[in-house]
Amino acid sequence: SDLHTSNWDFFVAIGVRTFLNETIHFVGKKELFTPLTSWFFKGLGGMPLNRKKNENVVEAITRMYGEEAVFRMAIAPEGTRKKVDEWKTGFYYISKIAGVPIISVTLNFKDRSTRVSKPYYPTNNMEEDFKKLKLFFRGVKGKVEQFS
C-alpha cells in the first residue's frame, strides 16, 4: 500500500477536515501531549493515548467513542508511513466494537484530489470487507512513492 507515506498527509488531512467543516479526531502517544504542546495537539483534535497501561489500543480508542458527544477519528489503515503489504486491523475492530462506520478518505497526490466514501459498516467477514474497502483506494498515490 502506498497511501500513508509522508508526514504531509497529516497537514493535508487537517486542511481537508477544515474544508469539510467536520470535527475529526486523531490519537497520539501520551508523550506528545506535554505542557508545551498539549494545547496545539488538542486544538487540532488530538487525543492522548496512554500505551503503557495494560489496556490495548483498540479498547482504549473504543472507550473514547463512549466518552465524547461527537467523536470521529482519522486512522491510517497501514499504521505507519513505511511500505506495508497488509493493512493493520485495529481500525476494523474499533469500528465493529464501537458500532461506528468506516468512512474512507483519499489524499491522492497524483492528481491532487480527495474523495470521501459512503459509510461502511463491517460485516463478520473481514477478508471480504477489506477487499471492498481497498477498492476505494485503487489508483490513489501517496506523496512519497513506495516501492517493494
Side-chain angles (χ1 to χ4, degrees), residues 86-135:
E86 295 297 325
W87 284 354
K88 301 277 186 174
T89 58
F91 77 95
Y92 182 81
Y93 289 112
I94 291 165
S95 173
K96 284 186 65 81
I97 294 167
V100 297
I102 296 167
I103 299 175
S104 300
V105 178
T106 64
L107 301 176
N108 194 348
F109 285 85
K110 180 180 178 183
D111 63 5
R112 298 175 188 231
S113 67
T114 299
R115 291 185 299 135
V116 179
S117 76
K118 293 181 179 176
Y120 183 83
Y121 287 90
T123 67
N124 289 320
N125 186 336
M126 185 167 58
E127 186 177 331
E128 285 300 312
D129 288 338
F130 270 39
K131 283 181 186 176
K132 289 176 184 175
L133 290 167
K134 286 181 178 184
L135 282 174

Side-chain angles (χ1 to χ4, degrees), residues 5 10 15 20 28 31-32 38 47 53 63-64 69 71 74 77 87 91-92 99-100 127 137-138:
T5 61
F10 175 77
L20 294 174
E31 294 77 18
L32 292 174
S38 186
M47 304 283 285
K53 282 186 176 178
R63 185 175 34 77
M64 289 177 185
F71 191 73
W87 284 354
F91 77 95
Y92 182 81
V100 297
E127 186 177 331
F137 295 96
R138 192 174 30 202

Side-chain angles (χ1 to χ4, degrees), residues 2-145:
D2 29 319
L3 300 177
H4 179 48
T5 61
S6 164
N7 284 330
W8 282 104
D9 296 350
F10 175 77
F11 298 105
V12 172
I14 293 294
V16 169
R17 179 190 72 179
T18 302
F19 178 76
L20 294 174
N21 197 25
E22 293 288 346
T23 301
I24 301 174
H25 296 90
F26 63 91
V27 294
K29 293 185 284 189
K30 184 180 177 187
E31 294 77 18
L32 292 174
F33 292 80
T34 69
L36 293 176
T37 62
S38 186
W39 65 271
F40 176 74
F41 288 122
K42 286 183 178 179
L44 290 175
M47 304 283 285
L49 185 66
N50 188 352
R51 299 183 347 178
K52 291 182 180 176
K53 282 186 176 178
N54 230 358
E55 183 175 45
N56 76 37
V57 173
V58 170
E59 289 172 355
I61 294 172
T62 301
R63 185 175 34 77
M64 289 177 185
Y65 275 93
E67 294 173 349
E68 301 292 324
V70 174
F71 191 73
R72 298 178 194 100
M73 190 172 70
I75 299 177
E78 299 93 347
T80 182
R81 290 176 308 278
K82 298 176 185 154
K83 172 75 174 170
V84 297
D85 294 322
E86 295 297 325
W87 284 354
K88 301 277 186 174
T89 58
F91 77 95
Y92 182 81
Y93 289 112
I94 291 165
S95 173
K96 284 186 65 81
I97 294 167
V100 297
I102 296 167
I103 299 175
S104 300
V105 178
T106 64
L107 301 176
N108 194 348
F109 285 85
K110 180 180 178 183
D111 63 5
R112 298 175 188 231
S113 67
T114 299
R115 291 185 299 135
V116 179
S117 76
K118 293 181 179 176
Y120 183 83
Y121 287 90
T123 67
N124 289 320
N125 186 336
M126 185 167 58
E127 186 177 331
E128 285 300 312
D129 288 338
F130 270 39
K131 283 181 186 176
K132 289 176 184 175
L133 290 167
K134 286 181 178 184
L135 282 174
F136 185 75
F137 295 96
R138 192 174 30 202
V140 174
K141 294 293 178 194
K143 180 162 179 56
V144 178
E145 289 282 334

